[in-house]
Amino acid sequence: DTAVSQTPKYLVTQMGNDKSIKCEQNLGHDTMYWYKQDSKKFLKIMFSYNNKELIINETVPNRFSPKSPDKAHLNLHINSLELGDSAVYFCASSRKGGAANVLTFGAGSRLTVL
Amino acid sequence: EDQVTQSPEALRLQEGESSSLNCSYTVSGLRGLFWYRQDPGKGPEFLFTLYSAGEEKEKERLKATLTKKESFLHITAPKPEDSATYLCAVPSGNTGKLIFGQGTTLQVKP
């Protein structure tokens, strides 16, 4: 059983389109995250939710909107896609949202904006 | 500002050739230092957490150590299957936010 699963694994789309990435975890964790990994493999946090409540909202354009329908799911919707949005987006989860908690990552969703 | 810097960016070793990866950090109040391994096309996978200077942890051919300013990931007699990108990270604040370094991509040739 996959612990953190993301769909789709690959997205190729045109500038200006809207796309969504879905994430589900079956670990019973309370906290979920979205990280972005750029072409230089630099991982940066975007959002985190603790039991459906938004905890972290980094300096991310308003075009990015996370939604957590329940604590096992965290989706990411992106409006008006731009070339610079091309990256790999990772969903992750942890037992709690505190400082020293181990994150379990999904396999990533590679977004390519043409 | 909390910061993590890893070196080298890339490392090529022959099988059996031991070496070390470096992770330097600046953080206000260390709440742990994490090492992750990332294989191509996959998400990072947790390896170790270190909490205090002098602490060491081992897993197979990997040993992680921690000082007040940096952490080292020592790889002893590596095998080709150790080839991956190794990431270190520190928590920033109490919200679970991790600051990652840019990673060291290790290639071990047979």
Side-chain angles (χ1 to χ4, degrees), chain A residues 14-67:
Chain A
Q14 300 288 330
M15 271 197 313
N17 285 349
D18 303 339
K19 287 292 178 185
S20 293
I21 307 171
K22 295 186 176 182
C23 179
E24 176 182 4
Q25 55 95 3
N26 63 5
L27 297 166
H29 287 169
D30 289 323
T31 306
M32 296 185 73
Y33 310 80
W34 279 111
Y35 277 81
K36 178 180 180 180
Q37 189 170 46
D38 61 25
S39 57
K40 294 186 177 181
K41 297 195 175 180
F42 189 58
L43 259 176
K44 189 173 180 182
I45 191 165
M46 301 173 70
F47 303 102
S48 84
Y49 273 75
N50 185 48
N51 202 10
K52 301 194 296 177
E53 180 185 353
L54 181 65
I55 300 297
I56 298 173
N57 185 350
E58 288 292 288
T59 310
V60 177
N62 291 338
R63 300 181 294 102
F64 290 79
S65 52
K67 284 189 180 175

Side-chain angles (χ1 to χ4, degrees), chain B residues 39-107:
Chain B
D39 291 302
K42 295 189 177 180
E45 185 179 339
F46 171 73
L47 290 173
F48 305 109
T49 310
L50 302 165
Y51 290 101
S52 56
E55 188 176 358
E56 298 183 353
K57 290 206 174 159
E58 289 188 61
K59 182 178 180 179
E60 297 181 357
R61 295 173 292 282
L62 301 177
K63 182 168 82 171
T65 61
L66 182 66
T67 72
K68 289 185 178 179
K69 293 183 179 180
E70 55 193 351
S71 177
F72 293 93
L73 186 64
H74 307 277
I75 304 176
T76 302
K79 297 183 177 182
E81 52 261 43
D82 295 321
S83 298
T85 296
Y86 292 87
L87 301 163
C88 73
V90 295
S92 180
N94 287 317
T95 58
K97 171 181 172 180
L98 281 181
I99 304 294
F100 279 87
Q102 73 273 40
T104 294
T105 298
L106 172 66
Q107 185 180 28

